[in-house]
mmCIF file of all heavy atoms in Angstrom:
data_model
loop_
_atom_site.group_PDB
_atom_site.id
_atom_site.type_symbol
_atom_site.label_atom_id
_atom_site.label_comp_id
_atom_site.label_asym_id
_atom_site.label_seq_id
_atom_site.Cartn_x
_atom_site.Cartn_y
_atom_site.Cartn_z
ATOM 1 N N SER A 12 4.074 -7.973 -4.444
ATOM 2 C CA SER A 12 4.712 -6.932 -5.257
ATOM 3 C C SER A 12 4.422 -5.582 -4.614
ATOM 4 O O SER A 12 3.256 -5.225 -4.418
ATOM 5 C CB SER A 12 4.163 -6.947 -6.684
ATOM 6 O OG SER A 12 4.397 -8.184 -7.312
ATOM 7 N N VAL A 13 5.468 -4.850 -4.261
ATOM 8 C CA VAL A 13 5.285 -3.517 -3.689
ATOM 9 C C VAL A 13 5.161 -2.522 -4.835
ATOM 10 O O VAL A 13 6.103 -2.338 -5.606
ATOM 11 C CB VAL A 13 6.460 -3.137 -2.764
ATOM 12 C CG1 VAL A 13 6.261 -1.736 -2.203
ATOM 13 C CG2 VAL A 13 6.601 -4.152 -1.620
ATOM 14 N N LEU A 14 3.996 -1.893 -4.961
ATOM 15 C CA LEU A 14 3.737 -0.952 -6.046
ATOM 16 C C LEU A 14 4.358 0.408 -5.736
ATOM 17 O O LEU A 14 5.040 0.987 -6.566
ATOM 18 C CB LEU A 14 2.232 -0.812 -6.281
ATOM 19 C CG LEU A 14 1.491 -2.127 -6.599
ATOM 20 C CD1 LEU A 14 0.003 -1.871 -6.750
ATOM 21 C CD2 LEU A 14 2.055 -2.773 -7.864
ATOM 22 N N TYR A 15 4.102 0.914 -4.558
ATOM 23 C CA TYR A 15 4.759 2.142 -4.105
ATOM 24 C C TYR A 15 4.548 2.315 -2.604
ATOM 25 O O TYR A 15 3.707 1.660 -1.993
ATOM 26 C CB TYR A 15 4.288 3.376 -4.877
ATOM 27 C CG TYR A 15 2.816 3.710 -4.774
ATOM 28 C CD1 TYR A 15 2.336 4.637 -3.854
ATOM 29 C CD2 TYR A 15 1.890 3.115 -5.638
ATOM 30 C CE1 TYR A 15 0.994 4.944 -3.772
ATOM 31 C CE2 TYR A 15 0.550 3.426 -5.571
ATOM 32 C CZ TYR A 15 0.108 4.346 -4.638
ATOM 33 O OH TYR A 15 -1.233 4.646 -4.559
ATOM 34 N N ILE A 16 5.349 3.202 -2.032
ATOM 35 C CA ILE A 16 5.355 3.428 -0.587
ATOM 36 C C ILE A 16 5.152 4.916 -0.308
ATOM 37 O O ILE A 16 5.681 5.770 -1.015
ATOM 38 C CB ILE A 16 6.688 2.947 0.027
ATOM 39 C CG1 ILE A 16 6.749 1.408 0.024
ATOM 40 C CG2 ILE A 16 6.872 3.475 1.456
ATOM 41 C CD1 ILE A 16 8.110 0.854 0.352
ATOM 42 N N LYS A 17 4.390 5.213 0.726
ATOM 43 C CA LYS A 17 4.238 6.583 1.223
ATOM 44 C C LYS A 17 4.632 6.586 2.700
ATOM 45 O O LYS A 17 3.922 6.013 3.534
ATOM 46 C CB LYS A 17 2.797 7.074 1.053
ATOM 47 C CG LYS A 17 2.376 7.270 -0.397
ATOM 48 C CD LYS A 17 0.955 7.798 -0.484
ATOM 49 C CE LYS A 17 0.532 8.023 -1.934
ATOM 50 N NZ LYS A 17 -0.869 8.524 -2.027
ATOM 51 N N ASP A 18 5.762 7.206 2.993
ATOM 52 C CA ASP A 18 6.263 7.244 4.366
ATOM 53 C C ASP A 18 5.844 8.554 5.029
ATOM 54 O O ASP A 18 6.539 9.565 4.937
ATOM 55 C CB ASP A 18 7.793 7.105 4.372
ATOM 56 C CG ASP A 18 8.344 6.894 5.777
ATOM 57 O OD1 ASP A 18 7.611 7.175 6.750
ATOM 58 O OD2 ASP A 18 9.499 6.453 5.901
ATOM 59 N N TYR A 19 4.695 8.494 5.711
ATOM 60 C CA TYR A 19 4.198 9.677 6.408
ATOM 61 C C TYR A 19 4.770 9.793 7.829
ATOM 62 O O TYR A 19 4.330 10.648 8.599
ATOM 63 C CB TYR A 19 2.662 9.639 6.486
ATOM 64 C CG TYR A 19 1.983 9.747 5.143
ATOM 65 C CD1 TYR A 19 1.196 8.703 4.654
ATOM 66 C CD2 TYR A 19 2.122 10.897 4.362
ATOM 67 C CE1 TYR A 19 0.558 8.800 3.419
ATOM 68 C CE2 TYR A 19 1.506 10.997 3.128
ATOM 69 C CZ TYR A 19 0.718 9.948 2.661
ATOM 70 O OH TYR A 19 0.105 10.046 1.427
ATOM 71 N N ILE A 20 5.732 8.926 8.152
ATOM 72 C CA ILE A 20 6.425 9.050 9.439
ATOM 73 C C ILE A 20 7.598 10.025 9.272
ATOM 74 O O ILE A 20 7.750 10.979 10.035
ATOM 75 C CB ILE A 20 6.912 7.684 9.940
ATOM 76 C CG1 ILE A 20 5.715 6.741 10.150
ATOM 77 C CG2 ILE A 20 7.695 7.835 11.261
ATOM 78 C CD1 ILE A 20 6.092 5.321 10.456
ATOM 79 N N LYS A 21 8.400 9.775 8.247
ATOM 80 C CA LYS A 21 9.514 10.684 7.954
ATOM 81 C C LYS A 21 9.009 11.987 7.337
ATOM 82 O O LYS A 21 9.643 13.034 7.475
ATOM 83 C CB LYS A 21 10.515 10.009 7.020
ATOM 84 C CG LYS A 21 11.253 8.846 7.667
ATOM 85 C CD LYS A 21 12.220 8.190 6.698
ATOM 86 C CE LYS A 21 12.963 7.033 7.363
ATOM 87 N NZ LYS A 21 13.842 6.314 6.397
ATOM 88 N N HIS A 22 7.868 11.892 6.638
ATOM 89 C CA HIS A 22 7.295 13.073 5.979
ATOM 90 C C HIS A 22 5.807 13.166 6.330
ATOM 91 O O HIS A 22 4.946 12.802 5.519
ATOM 92 C CB HIS A 22 7.485 12.982 4.468
ATOM 93 C CG HIS A 22 8.896 12.730 4.040
ATOM 94 N ND1 HIS A 22 9.862 13.711 4.070
ATOM 95 C CD2 HIS A 22 9.509 11.589 3.611
ATOM 96 C CE1 HIS A 22 11.006 13.206 3.661
ATOM 97 N NE2 HIS A 22 10.829 11.926 3.381
ATOM 98 N N PRO A 23 5.477 13.632 7.544
ATOM 99 C CA PRO A 23 4.066 13.707 7.977
ATOM 100 C C PRO A 23 3.242 14.632 7.094
ATOM 101 O O PRO A 23 3.760 15.556 6.474
ATOM 102 C CB PRO A 23 4.167 14.277 9.401
ATOM 103 C CG PRO A 23 5.580 14.075 9.821
ATOM 104 C CD PRO A 23 6.397 14.140 8.570
ATOM 105 N N LYS A 24 1.940 14.362 7.045
ATOM 106 C CA LYS A 24 1.029 15.258 6.339
ATOM 107 C C LYS A 24 0.931 16.580 7.105
ATOM 108 O O LYS A 24 1.288 16.669 8.278
ATOM 109 C CB LYS A 24 -0.360 14.621 6.224
ATOM 110 C CG LYS A 24 -0.437 13.438 5.278
ATOM 111 C CD LYS A 24 -1.877 12.966 5.132
ATOM 112 C CE LYS A 24 -2.000 11.791 4.169
ATOM 113 N NZ LYS A 24 -3.401 11.345 4.008
ATOM 114 N N GLU A 25 0.421 17.588 6.437
ATOM 115 C CA GLU A 25 0.284 18.909 7.057
ATOM 116 C C GLU A 25 -0.572 18.843 8.321
ATOM 117 O O GLU A 25 -0.352 19.583 9.278
ATOM 118 C CB GLU A 25 -0.334 19.884 6.052
ATOM 119 C CG GLU A 25 -0.362 21.324 6.531
ATOM 120 C CD GLU A 25 -0.927 22.271 5.504
ATOM 121 O OE1 GLU A 25 -1.053 21.869 4.321
ATOM 122 O OE2 GLU A 25 -1.242 23.417 5.879
ATOM 123 N N SER A 26 -1.539 17.936 8.339
ATOM 124 C CA SER A 26 -2.429 17.788 9.499
ATOM 125 C C SER A 26 -1.710 17.216 10.715
ATOM 126 O O SER A 26 -2.194 17.322 11.842
ATOM 127 C CB SER A 26 -3.598 16.864 9.144
ATOM 128 O OG SER A 26 -3.124 15.554 8.862
ATOM 129 N N GLY A 27 -0.531 16.591 10.471
ATOM 130 C CA GLY A 27 0.187 15.908 11.544
ATOM 131 C C GLY A 27 0.099 14.398 11.432
ATOM 132 O O GLY A 27 0.733 13.666 12.195
ATOM 133 N N TYR A 28 -0.693 13.922 10.477
ATOM 134 C CA TYR A 28 -0.885 12.476 10.285
ATOM 135 C C TYR A 28 0.441 11.774 10.024
ATOM 136 O O TYR A 28 1.238 12.204 9.195
ATOM 137 C CB TYR A 28 -1.832 12.243 9.110
ATOM 138 C CG TYR A 28 -2.041 10.792 8.743
ATOM 139 C CD1 TYR A 28 -2.995 10.022 9.406
ATOM 140 C CD2 TYR A 28 -1.286 10.191 7.733
ATOM 141 C CE1 TYR A 28 -3.201 8.697 9.058
ATOM 142 C CE2 TYR A 28 -1.488 8.859 7.385
ATOM 143 C CZ TYR A 28 -2.443 8.117 8.057
ATOM 144 O OH TYR A 28 -2.629 6.799 7.709
ATOM 145 N N ARG A 29 0.665 10.670 10.753
ATOM 146 C CA ARG A 29 1.879 9.883 10.601
ATOM 147 C C ARG A 29 1.505 8.409 10.483
ATOM 148 O O ARG A 29 0.744 7.881 11.294
ATOM 149 C CB ARG A 29 2.829 10.088 11.790
ATOM 150 C CG ARG A 29 3.359 11.499 11.909
ATOM 151 C CD ARG A 29 3.987 11.763 13.262
ATOM 152 N NE ARG A 29 5.226 11.040 13.459
ATOM 153 C CZ ARG A 29 5.422 10.098 14.364
ATOM 154 N NH1 ARG A 29 4.445 9.731 15.170
ATOM 155 N NH2 ARG A 29 6.579 9.490 14.482
ATOM 156 N N SER A 30 2.042 7.755 9.475
ATOM 157 C CA SER A 30 1.800 6.332 9.243
ATOM 158 C C SER A 30 2.693 5.907 8.088
ATOM 159 O O SER A 30 3.214 6.747 7.360
ATOM 160 C CB SER A 30 0.329 6.084 8.904
ATOM 161 O OG SER A 30 0.044 4.708 8.792
ATOM 162 N N TYR A 31 2.887 4.596 7.941
ATOM 163 C CA TYR A 31 3.693 4.076 6.841
ATOM 164 C C TYR A 31 2.767 3.285 5.937
ATOM 165 O O TYR A 31 2.164 2.301 6.362
ATOM 166 C CB TYR A 31 4.805 3.176 7.390
ATOM 167 C CG TYR A 31 5.846 2.760 6.381
ATOM 168 C CD1 TYR A 31 6.995 3.517 6.189
ATOM 169 C CD2 TYR A 31 5.696 1.604 5.625
ATOM 170 C CE1 TYR A 31 7.970 3.139 5.281
ATOM 171 C CE2 TYR A 31 6.651 1.216 4.703
ATOM 172 C CZ TYR A 31 7.787 1.982 4.540
ATOM 173 O OH TYR A 31 8.748 1.602 3.629
ATOM 174 N N HIS A 32 2.610 3.752 4.699
ATOM 175 C CA HIS A 32 1.677 3.114 3.770
ATOM 176 C C HIS A 32 2.442 2.314 2.709
ATOM 177 O O HIS A 32 3.360 2.834 2.074
ATOM 178 C CB HIS A 32 0.814 4.159 3.056
ATOM 179 C CG HIS A 32 -0.171 4.837 3.963
ATOM 180 N ND1 HIS A 32 -1.246 5.545 3.491
ATOM 181 C CD2 HIS A 32 -0.246 4.904 5.306
ATOM 182 C CE1 HIS A 32 -1.938 6.036 4.508
ATOM 183 N NE2 HIS A 32 -1.347 5.660 5.625
ATOM 184 N N MET A 33 2.041 1.076 2.531
ATOM 185 C CA MET A 33 2.567 0.231 1.465
ATOM 186 C C MET A 33 1.416 -0.172 0.553
ATOM 187 O O MET A 33 0.440 -0.777 1.008
ATOM 188 C CB MET A 33 3.231 -1.033 2.032
ATOM 189 C CG MET A 33 4.427 -0.784 2.913
ATOM 190 S SD MET A 33 5.174 -2.342 3.495
ATOM 191 C CE MET A 33 6.002 -2.923 1.989
ATOM 192 N N HIS A 34 1.516 0.188 -0.712
ATOM 193 C CA HIS A 34 0.525 -0.249 -1.691
ATOM 194 C C HIS A 34 1.107 -1.474 -2.392
ATOM 195 O O HIS A 34 2.135 -1.375 -3.068
ATOM 196 C CB HIS A 34 0.220 0.870 -2.681
ATOM 197 C CG HIS A 34 -0.486 2.021 -2.042
ATOM 198 N ND1 HIS A 34 -1.838 2.252 -2.178
ATOM 199 C CD2 HIS A 34 -0.035 2.999 -1.220
ATOM 200 C CE1 HIS A 34 -2.181 3.320 -1.502
ATOM 201 N NE2 HIS A 34 -1.096 3.793 -0.899
ATOM 202 N N ILE A 35 0.472 -2.604 -2.172
ATOM 203 C CA ILE A 35 1.015 -3.871 -2.658
ATOM 204 C C ILE A 35 0.013 -4.576 -3.567
ATOM 205 O O ILE A 35 -1.154 -4.177 -3.663
ATOM 206 C CB ILE A 35 1.397 -4.797 -1.482
ATOM 207 C CG1 ILE A 35 0.149 -5.169 -0.670
ATOM 208 C CG2 ILE A 35 2.440 -4.135 -0.592
ATOM 209 C CD1 ILE A 35 0.404 -6.186 0.432
ATOM 210 N N GLN A 36 0.492 -5.626 -4.209
ATOM 211 C CA GLN A 36 -0.352 -6.448 -5.077
ATOM 212 C C GLN A 36 -0.052 -7.914 -4.791
ATOM 213 O O GLN A 36 1.116 -8.297 -4.694
ATOM 214 C CB GLN A 36 -0.049 -6.117 -6.528
ATOM 215 C CG GLN A 36 -1.062 -6.659 -7.516
ATOM 216 C CD GLN A 36 -0.902 -6.012 -8.882
ATOM 217 O OE1 GLN A 36 -1.624 -5.105 -9.242
ATOM 218 N NE2 GLN A 36 0.078 -6.463 -9.645
ATOM 219 N N VAL A 37 -1.116 -8.697 -4.631
ATOM 220 C CA VAL A 37 -0.942 -10.120 -4.358
ATOM 221 C C VAL A 37 -1.701 -10.943 -5.400
ATOM 222 O O VAL A 37 -2.764 -10.525 -5.870
ATOM 223 C CB VAL A 37 -1.431 -10.505 -2.937
ATOM 224 C CG1 VAL A 37 -0.531 -9.905 -1.879
ATOM 225 C CG2 VAL A 37 -2.875 -10.063 -2.706
ATOM 226 N N PRO A 38 -1.175 -12.110 -5.779
ATOM 227 C CA PRO A 38 -1.873 -12.954 -6.755
ATOM 228 C C PRO A 38 -2.975 -13.775 -6.084
ATOM 229 O O PRO A 38 -2.727 -14.472 -5.104
ATOM 230 C CB PRO A 38 -0.748 -13.867 -7.275
ATOM 231 C CG PRO A 38 0.222 -13.952 -6.132
ATOM 232 C CD PRO A 38 0.135 -12.656 -5.392
ATOM 233 N N ILE A 39 -4.185 -13.656 -6.602
ATOM 234 C CA ILE A 39 -5.303 -14.452 -6.077
ATOM 235 C C ILE A 39 -5.616 -15.562 -7.076
ATOM 236 O O ILE A 39 -5.946 -15.290 -8.240
ATOM 237 C CB ILE A 39 -6.547 -13.572 -5.847
ATOM 238 C CG1 ILE A 39 -6.235 -12.446 -4.852
ATOM 239 C CG2 ILE A 39 -7.718 -14.419 -5.343
ATOM 240 C CD1 ILE A 39 -5.742 -12.917 -3.509
ATOM 241 N N GLN A 40 -5.484 -16.775 -6.620
ATOM 242 C CA GLN A 40 -5.737 -17.929 -7.485
ATOM 243 C C GLN A 40 -7.230 -18.202 -7.559
ATOM 244 O O GLN A 40 -7.881 -18.450 -6.539
ATOM 245 C CB GLN A 40 -5.013 -19.166 -6.937
ATOM 246 C CG GLN A 40 -5.187 -20.425 -7.777
ATOM 247 C CD GLN A 40 -4.453 -20.317 -9.104
ATOM 248 O OE1 GLN A 40 -3.244 -20.137 -9.130
ATOM 249 N NE2 GLN A 40 -5.181 -20.458 -10.211
ATOM 250 N N THR A 41 -7.801 -18.127 -8.752
ATOM 251 C CA THR A 41 -9.208 -18.452 -8.957
ATOM 252 C C THR A 41 -9.299 -19.633 -9.926
ATOM 253 O O THR A 41 -8.292 -20.065 -10.495
ATOM 254 C CB THR A 41 -9.974 -17.245 -9.549
ATOM 255 O OG1 THR A 41 -9.567 -17.051 -10.917
ATOM 256 C CG2 THR A 41 -9.699 -15.978 -8.749
ATOM 257 N N THR A 42 -10.508 -20.115 -10.141
ATOM 258 C CA THR A 42 -10.694 -21.236 -11.067
ATOM 259 C C THR A 42 -10.402 -20.822 -12.508
ATOM 260 O O THR A 42 -10.161 -21.664 -13.372
ATOM 261 C CB THR A 42 -12.140 -21.767 -10.987
ATOM 262 O OG1 THR A 42 -13.045 -20.684 -11.200
ATOM 263 C CG2 THR A 42 -12.404 -22.400 -9.624
ATOM 264 N N LYS A 43 -10.413 -19.515 -12.765
ATOM 265 C CA LYS A 43 -10.140 -19.018 -14.121
ATOM 266 C C LYS A 43 -8.706 -18.532 -14.293
ATOM 267 O O LYS A 43 -8.331 -18.038 -15.349
ATOM 268 C CB LYS A 43 -11.112 -17.875 -14.447
ATOM 269 C CG LYS A 43 -12.572 -18.329 -14.498
ATOM 270 C CD LYS A 43 -13.492 -17.166 -14.841
ATOM 271 C CE LYS A 43 -14.939 -17.624 -14.890
ATOM 272 N NZ LYS A 43 -15.862 -16.501 -15.207
ATOM 273 N N GLY A 44 -7.918 -18.655 -13.224
ATOM 274 C CA GLY A 44 -6.529 -18.224 -13.309
ATOM 275 C C GLY A 44 -6.145 -17.290 -12.182
ATOM 276 O O GLY A 44 -6.918 -17.067 -11.246
ATOM 277 N N ILE A 45 -4.943 -16.720 -12.279
ATOM 278 C CA ILE A 45 -4.433 -15.835 -11.240
ATOM 279 C C ILE A 45 -4.834 -14.389 -11.547
ATOM 280 O O ILE A 45 -4.683 -13.915 -12.669
ATOM 281 C CB ILE A 45 -2.900 -15.943 -11.139
ATOM 282 C CG1 ILE A 45 -2.516 -17.336 -10.619
ATOM 283 C CG2 ILE A 45 -2.333 -14.859 -10.213
ATOM 284 C CD1 ILE A 45 -1.029 -17.601 -10.607
ATOM 285 N N VAL A 46 -5.343 -13.706 -10.520
ATOM 286 C CA VAL A 46 -5.746 -12.307 -10.669
ATOM 287 C C VAL A 46 -4.941 -11.461 -9.673
ATOM 288 O O VAL A 46 -5.158 -11.554 -8.463
ATOM 289 C CB VAL A 46 -7.254 -12.118 -10.408
ATOM 290 C CG1 VAL A 46 -7.645 -10.650 -10.625
ATOM 291 C CG2 VAL A 46 -8.084 -13.042 -11.294
ATOM 292 N N PRO A 47 -4.011 -10.630 -10.160
ATOM 293 C CA PRO A 47 -3.278 -9.728 -9.252
ATOM 294 C C PRO A 47 -4.251 -8.711 -8.637
ATOM 295 O O PRO A 47 -5.022 -8.077 -9.365
ATOM 296 C CB PRO A 47 -2.261 -9.036 -10.163
ATOM 297 C CG PRO A 47 -2.202 -9.899 -11.398
ATOM 298 C CD PRO A 47 -3.570 -10.490 -11.549
ATOM 299 N N THR A 48 -4.222 -8.579 -7.328
ATOM 300 C CA THR A 48 -5.193 -7.725 -6.625
ATOM 301 C C THR A 48 -4.480 -6.794 -5.648
ATOM 302 O O THR A 48 -3.589 -7.228 -4.919
ATOM 303 C CB THR A 48 -6.228 -8.600 -5.882
ATOM 304 O OG1 THR A 48 -6.809 -9.535 -6.813
ATOM 305 C CG2 THR A 48 -7.338 -7.757 -5.286
ATOM 306 N N LYS A 49 -4.901 -5.521 -5.630
ATOM 307 C CA LYS A 49 -4.224 -4.504 -4.816
ATOM 308 C C LYS A 49 -4.744 -4.478 -3.376
ATOM 309 O O LYS A 49 -5.935 -4.677 -3.121
ATOM 310 C CB LYS A 49 -4.434 -3.117 -5.432
ATOM 311 C CG LYS A 49 -3.851 -2.948 -6.820
ATOM 312 C CD LYS A 49 -4.244 -1.587 -7.381
ATOM 313 C CE LYS A 49 -3.801 -1.434 -8.829
ATOM 314 N NZ LYS A 49 -4.287 -0.155 -9.408
ATOM 315 N N VAL A 50 -3.814 -4.188 -2.472
ATOM 316 C CA VAL A 50 -4.138 -4.008 -1.056
ATOM 317 C C VAL A 50 -3.302 -2.844 -0.532
ATOM 318 O O VAL A 50 -2.126 -2.726 -0.881
ATOM 319 C CB VAL A 50 -3.820 -5.277 -0.222
ATOM 320 C CG1 VAL A 50 -4.118 -5.041 1.255
ATOM 321 C CG2 VAL A 50 -4.605 -6.474 -0.733
ATOM 322 N N GLU A 51 -3.903 -2.009 0.291
ATOM 323 C CA GLU A 51 -3.121 -0.966 0.966
ATOM 324 C C GLU A 51 -2.845 -1.405 2.392
ATOM 325 O O GLU A 51 -3.762 -1.762 3.140
ATOM 326 C CB GLU A 51 -3.868 0.372 0.991
ATOM 327 C CG GLU A 51 -3.014 1.465 1.642
ATOM 328 C CD GLU A 51 -3.790 2.719 2.002
ATOM 329 O OE1 GLU A 51 -4.783 2.598 2.753
ATOM 330 O OE2 GLU A 51 -3.413 3.800 1.548
ATOM 331 N N LEU A 52 -1.572 -1.366 2.768
ATOM 332 C CA LEU A 52 -1.154 -1.658 4.141
ATOM 333 C C LEU A 52 -0.812 -0.350 4.836
ATOM 334 O O LEU A 52 -0.034 0.457 4.317
ATOM 335 C CB LEU A 52 0.087 -2.554 4.145
ATOM 336 C CG LEU A 52 -0.108 -4.060 4.057
ATOM 337 C CD1 LEU A 52 1.247 -4.730 3.880
ATOM 338 C CD2 LEU A 52 -0.770 -4.595 5.317
ATOM 339 N N GLN A 53 -1.391 -0.123 6.001
ATOM 340 C CA GLN A 53 -1.029 1.013 6.840
ATOM 341 C C GLN A 53 -0.375 0.447 8.099
ATOM 342 O O GLN A 53 -0.999 -0.319 8.826
ATOM 343 C CB GLN A 53 -2.255 1.841 7.215
ATOM 344 C CG GLN A 53 -2.964 2.466 6.029
ATOM 345 C CD GLN A 53 -4.203 3.243 6.445
ATOM 346 O OE1 GLN A 53 -4.617 3.205 7.601
ATOM 347 N NE2 GLN A 53 -4.808 3.943 5.506
#
């Protein structure tokens, strides 16, 4: 599940930083059930 995106390539930070950030969520199967867990992709 893509939670939100920050496109610092098309819109660089003031410092000049450029990267494409995807904040996502993945289901982790545990013995007590599924736990949605966040991950940041750069």
Side-chain angles (χ1 to χ4, degrees):
S12 300
V13 179
L14 303 177
Y15 61 96
I16 288 169
K17 292 182 179 179
D18 190 343
Y19 294 117
I20 299 172
K21 292 179 179 176
H22 307 285
K24 290 185 179 181
E25 187 178 346
S26 64
Y28 176 85
R29 295 165 69 244
S30 185
Y31 190 91
H32 291 197
M33 298 182 74
H34 293 257
I35 63 175
Q36 193 166 260
V37 292
I39 301 302
Q40 181 70 59
T41 71
T42 54
K43 296 181 180 179
I45 293 174
V46 182
T48 307
K49 298 174 186 175
V50 178
E51 183 194 56
L52 274 172
Q53 298 178 352

